[in-house]
Amino acid sequence: MTRLPADQITRFSASLSVVRDAIIACERCPRLRRHCAEVARDKRRAYRDEMYWGKPVPGFGDPMARLLLVGLAPAAHGANRTGRVFTGDGIGGSGDFLMGALHRAGFANIPTSRDPNDGLLLRDAFIAAAVRCAPPDNKPTPEEIARCLPHLQAEIDALLHVVVVVALGKIAFDAYLQLLKRRDIVIRPRPAFAHAARYRLPNGQTLVGCYHPSRQNTNTGKLTVEMMDTVLRQVRTALQGSKGSKGSKGSKGSKGSKGSKGPSGSRGSGF
């Protein structure tokens, strides 16, 4: 596979920058904006001396990525504090768990995600979310998810080489399918979320389900290191069979036919 020239990569980065600015300025969901502002004002005691981000959180990663990971929403004292997805939710939190797996699979240069200035680089991978503001009790409403989806679509439109989409949890899985439906890409039977379930889609992409790496899931053993690694091995297999361009050197924190169903893992709900 060939790598695109640096000037083309720069143009893709500029396109993502425009999308990023639009996400940060978004005020579509008053309830979520109030909540994020309140959390940023009141703070958690451990972070009382820090300045919280408190704004919608854009995606992060390689503008040439072939792998797109979609999470649920920023954590109140994680990405809502740091401004980078899956960053700052504590040692051993979801950010560390996810980045450890991406590091082992060769998509991240370090195995942790603690701070926006920690030097983390993603190669051939981009991380986004279904919802860009931290929701109360980590539960966005269906209306809030729907209002936020254009941001995810805009990022996908700017990421021209995505081959595999890993949905971290059922909400992210359903959100991606909703985006396809808005593009008149209909899949029958409708893919069902399950960990390690893999679906080849009419748009040429592969959708993979994965339990969300929340502490609730990792601390209880619902999602283990081996289970996470299994998903990323599936991703590597799919990417090896693709004809898309390789990712760039890394980026700091940036009516359809029927689809055939691939091998499926055990069924279960996401976080």
Side-chain angles (χ1 to χ4, degrees):
M1 299 178 193
T2 59
R3 183 177 298 158
L4 291 183
D7 62 332
Q8 293 188 41
I9 295 174
T10 299
R11 286 200 293 273
F12 294 141
S13 298
S15 178
L16 276 172
S17 180
V18 171
V19 175
R20 172 187 171 86
D21 290 345
I23 292 172
I24 293 171
C26 184
E27 296 283 345
R28 295 177 184 177
C29 301
R31 184 183 80 109
L32 299 187
R33 295 307 315 127
R34 284 195 303 270
H35 179 67
C36 289
E38 289 170 1
V39 171
R41 181 195 65 216
D42 298 341
K43 304 181 181 181
R44 177 173 284 174
R45 184 172 182 177
Y47 308 122
R48 63 182 179 276
D49 295 328
E50 296 188 20
M51 179 69 71
Y52 272 54
W53 171 257
K55 296 184 284 288
V57 179
F60 159 74
D62 187 344
M64 298 296 296
R66 292 179 298 159
L67 166 62
L68 172 65
L69 299 105
V70 182
L72 169 55
H77 302 281
N80 185 58
R81 176 174 62 87
T82 66
R84 192 177 74 187
V85 290
F86 284 100
T87 300
D89 59 341
I91 296 174
S94 61
D96 282 1
F97 189 94
L98 178 60
M99 231 48 65
L102 291 174
H103 179 68
R104 290 189 297 276
F107 292 106
N109 67 325
I110 59 176
T112 57
S113 182
R114 309 276 173 82
D115 180 273
N117 300 311
D118 57 10
L120 173 65
L121 294 170
L122 299 183
R123 176 180 171 82
D124 212 10
F126 191 92
I127 306 175
V131 175
R132 304 313 173 105
C133 295
D137 301 317
N138 208 34
K139 294 180 181 178
T141 67
E143 293 77 16
E144 289 164 345
I145 295 172
R147 283 197 293 268
C148 207
L149 280 180
H151 294 316
L152 179 58
Q153 185 63 71
E155 286 179 333
I156 292 173
D157 288 345
L159 296 166
L160 302 183
H161 301 282
V162 172
V163 176
V164 180
V165 177
V166 173
L168 300 172
K170 188 175 186 302
I171 289 178
F173 190 89
D174 290 343
Y176 182 72
L177 291 178
Q178 189 175 340
L179 281 184
L180 294 182
K181 185 177 180 180
R182 291 184 180 188
R183 290 281 178 100
D184 293 325
I185 299 175
V186 180
I187 309 163
R188 295 190 179 91
R190 188 180 190 277
F193 176 77
H195 184 78
R198 184 175 59 188
Y199 300 90
R200 180 72 174 173
L201 303 177
N203 64 356
Q205 294 176 345
T206 296
L207 174 62
V208 182
C210 179
Y211 290 147
H212 191 285
S214 65
R215 289 181 188 269
Q216 177 179 324
N217 285 343
T218 60
N219 288 348
T220 60
K222 183 172 184 177
L223 177 63
T224 65
V225 168
E226 177 57 33
M227 291 169 69
M228 190 80 225
D229 288 349
T230 295
V231 166
L232 293 180
R233 281 195 294 269
Q234 288 187 349
V235 169
R236 278 295 180 201
T237 298
L239 292 182
Q240 287 168 2
S242 76
K243 297 180 180 180
S245 299
K246 283 186 177 181
S248 61
K249 291 185 178 180
S251 175
K252 290 187 177 182
S254 80
K255 199 183 266 174
S257 59
K258 289 183 179 180
S260 61
K261 182 176 178 180
S264 170
S266 59
R267 294 185 179 275
S269 61
F271 175 73

